[in-house]
Amino acid sequence: MDFQKFPEGYSTGMYQCKKYGISKTTFNNGKSIKLYAEELGGSDFISMNFYSTKEKELLKPCEMSKAKVVDFLIKVKLLNTMES
């Protein structure tokens, strides 16, 4: 998974014609990433953790299917992240 497209902190993106607020927090020198996206004005959300170890990389969705998380990561289009 390429998490580099998501800036650290808060950004916004479009997914399935809906706008999402996206928060990314990186821990352990980039070996752990938490990503949470919430539909603005709606009830949908995406929540996941990603861990990179010497042996493997692990994507751990929170309370949803891995397929939903992967679809979001691939299809979300980031908007201007320099919002005021």
Side-chain angles (χ1 to χ4, degrees):
M1 293 279 122
D2 179 21
F3 294 98
Q4 297 301 323
K5 77 175 184 178
F6 299 98
E8 189 73 12
Y10 183 82
S11 60
T12 55
M14 294 296 292
Y15 174 68
Q16 296 183 344
C17 300
K18 299 173 186 171
K19 190 173 183 180
Y20 284 74
I22 305 164
S23 296
K24 175 186 168 187
T25 308
T26 304
F27 304 95
N28 303 319
N29 296 318
K31 294 180 178 146
S32 300
I33 298 170
K34 176 169 183 56
L35 192 80
Y36 180 79
E38 185 171 6
E39 180 187 354
L40 301 176
S43 61
D44 192 34
F45 69 96
I46 306 293
S47 182
M48 50 116 326
N49 292 295
F50 175 79
Y51 305 100
S52 179
T53 68
K54 291 180 182 178
E55 294 81 33
K56 58 186 167 182
E57 294 181 334
L58 300 168
L59 178 65
K60 296 289 190 175
C62 302
E63 302 178 19
M64 64 193 54
S65 72
K66 186 174 184 178
K68 179 178 180 177
V69 171
V70 169
D71 190 63
F72 178 84
L73 293 173
I74 292 170
K75 294 180 181 175
V76 67
K77 301 293 183 204
L78 292 179
L79 302 173
N80 182 354
T81 59
M82 303 300 282
E83 295 180 351
S84 25

